[in-house]
Amino acid sequence: MFHRLGEKFDELRQMDEEFEGDLSEESNLKRAERRKEDRVVRKIVYILTIGILIVAGILAISGYNYVSAGLKPLDKNDKKLVQVEVPSGSSNRQIGDILEDGDVIRDGMVFNFYTKFKNLTNFQAGYYQFSPNMTLDQISKELQQGGSAEPLDDASKLTVPEGYDVDKIASLVAKKTDFKKEDFIKVMKDDKFFDQLKTQYPDLLTDAGNAKDVRYRLEGYLFPATYNVHKNRSLEDLVTQMVDTTNQVLTPYYNQIKEKGLTVQEVMTLASLVEKEGVTQSDRKKIAQVFFNRIDAQMALQSDISILYALGEHKEVVTIKDTEVDSPYNLYTNTGYGPGPFDNPSQEAILAVLDPTENDYIYFVADISTGKVYYAKTYEEHMELVEKYVNKEK
């Protein structure tokens, strides 16, 4: 009997194991199916996450590019003036829309955000003339200074050509405005006014303030551009506009100037020579390097532009006697850069000095009939070029 009971228990145990085996197999199948589903879900979540990140990245980059584009001038090469009217009580957003509609800036909303971020307020109503090559900062400063109560015409504009010196600008101001030439020169010689500007633009004017024997400390810093001349503004306001524009142009390059071991005064001085010596940007970059080569060799720059400035007159031919004029601006008898700039150079001339074309030339001369510039490494080569391209008509 005990033997039969044992057999019965063994039979029941076997049935139980078979049942558990069936359950285990079914459970394993379910777990395997759940793991498969989990993998699918995780893959979907992963794909969705990556997709969301990609879309967010694209949107962020697009937004950044959009804002960056909106902060830049609409067209840096377009100097055409556009007249706009800012009604009394206009908000920054409304002014931005007016400027966008007038094709002065790229985006009115970006202008609004920019002025809010910079905490720019007190924009004045009136008529303004802006150009698409102006920065948002330049436009904002114009708006803070105030516009004209009446629509502006051509007589309200003052265009300073590239390469004009202080005396020429003074004559132009007297011709185009109600200001007198002597009043403009007086502002140029006003040390107190210069010190105010130096405090406002230390990176730009500190070197000019330290220079010795300069004729006008602001020579070279009155940027050639078109300016609005309003009846309710002073000469100091006009000059400040010119200096501010120069600062706007140079701001991206202050670190580069320091890295090159140059001062702002030296850069502007060479640029003022390059402005007059070269016509094409290619020649300006080569000529800038020639000047650096001569400075490195401790040779005088021997630029006729310096002689004309020292003489204080404008003439076609510089004589040997002219090159002996007693002046710190005479770069035939004095080595180095001289006291300071000889005129007010363009941005292209400034960039030529900051990024010259490497060469080992020491001399250059221009064909008087074609304007083409020829370069030489030795004095003998130079004199051959002079005879061929300068003295050929004599």
Side-chain angles (χ1 to χ4, degrees), residues 106-204:
R106 197 178 306 276
D107 190 277
M109 185 170 60
V110 173
F111 175 84
N112 182 44
F113 289 148
Y114 174 82
T115 55
K116 298 291 186 185
F117 180 76
K118 291 283 189 177
N119 196 28
L120 299 175
T121 58
N122 299 322
F123 291 158
Q124 307 296 312
Y127 290 90
Y128 296 86
Q129 287 185 335
F130 299 119
S131 59
N133 69 343
M134 294 177 70
T135 65
L136 297 188
D137 190 59
Q138 289 173 318
I139 292 172
S140 298
K141 288 181 177 180
E142 285 274 330
L143 290 166
Q144 288 177 323
Q145 291 182 0
S148 172
E150 301 294 333
L152 299 163
D153 54 28
D154 289 342
S156 305
K157 297 183 298 185
L158 176 70
T159 300
V160 178
E162 298 168 344
Y164 262 36
D165 59 25
V166 163
D167 288 321
K168 277 190 171 183
I169 295 176
S171 298
L172 183 67
V173 168
K175 180 180 179 181
K176 286 287 189 177
T177 72
D178 294 332
F179 298 118
K180 297 179 180 179
K181 179 177 181 178
E182 52 265 31
D183 292 334
F184 188 88
I185 297 297
K186 185 178 180 180
V187 171
M188 292 295 100
K189 294 182 176 182
D190 188 340
D191 290 336
K192 184 177 180 181
F193 175 60
F194 176 83
D195 288 340
Q196 291 174 353
L197 288 175
K198 186 175 69 172
T199 300
Q200 190 172 353
Y201 305 102
D203 291 332
L204 179 69

Side-chain angles (χ1 to χ4, degrees), residues 213 215 306-307 309-311 324-334 339 342:
D213 300 321
R215 184 177 299 170
S306 71
I307 299 301
Y309 193 84
L311 294 172
E324 298 171 352
V325 59
D326 182 16
S327 169
Y329 283 98
N330 183 344
L331 296 187
Y332 271 81
T333 57
N334 298 296
F342 302 88

Side-chain angles (χ1 to χ4, degrees), residues 1-17:
M1 185 174 65
F2 286 109
H3 177 69
R4 289 181 179 177
L5 285 174
E7 289 180 349
K8 195 64 176 178
F9 277 123
D10 289 339
E11 185 179 344
L12 289 173
R13 189 182 303 111
Q14 185 177 358
M15 291 176 61
D16 185 56
E17 287 176 354

Side-chain angles (χ1 to χ4, degrees), residues 11 50 60 258 341 385-386:
E11 185 179 344
I50 294 299
K258 291 179 181 178
L385 293 172
V386 170

Side-chain angles (χ1 to χ4, degrees), residues 237-385:
D237 291 332
L238 176 60
V239 172
T240 300
Q241 283 186 67
M242 297 177 179
V243 173
D244 181 76
T245 304
T246 304
N247 186 63
Q248 290 281 335
V249 170
L250 281 179
T251 293
Y253 306 106
Y254 286 134
N255 288 336
Q256 183 180 349
I257 291 172
K258 291 179 181 178
E259 290 171 0
K260 286 180 171 290
L262 298 170
T263 67
V264 174
Q265 186 83 340
E266 289 169 345
V267 170
M268 299 306 285
T269 298
L270 279 193
S272 69
L273 294 177
V274 169
E275 179 69 51
K276 294 290 187 67
E277 297 282 13
V279 177
T280 68
Q281 189 64 4
S282 175
D283 278 328
R284 285 173 172 173
K285 289 165 69 71
K286 291 178 182 177
I287 291 170
Q289 185 61 54
V290 171
F291 284 143
F292 281 125
N293 294 341
R294 295 183 72 89
I295 288 174
D296 290 341
Q298 296 185 339
M299 298 174 65
L301 294 184
Q302 294 186 340
S303 170
D304 288 353
I305 306 304
S306 71
I307 299 301
L308 296 176
Y309 193 84
L311 294 172
E313 58 182 285
H314 305 279
K315 51 195 301 188
E316 293 295 326
V317 179
V318 173
T319 65
I320 294 178
K321 183 179 179 180
D322 291 335
T323 63
E324 298 171 352
V325 59
D326 182 16
S327 169
Y329 283 98
N330 183 344
L331 296 187
Y332 271 81
T333 57
N334 298 296
T335 58
Y337 296 86
F342 302 88
D343 57 64
N344 295 274
S346 64
Q347 183 173 3
E348 288 75 16
I350 295 170
L351 294 181
V353 172
L354 293 178
D355 185 28
T357 299
E358 290 189 16
N359 61 66
D360 52 2
Y361 297 121
I362 299 296
Y363 303 92
F364 65 89
V365 64
D367 186 324
I368 59 175
S369 59
T370 66
K372 185 175 180 180
V373 182
Y374 297 89
Y375 302 87
K377 298 178 183 180
T378 67
Y379 182 72
E380 290 72 23
E381 292 174 347
H382 174 64
M383 290 311 298
E384 290 178 6
L385 293 172

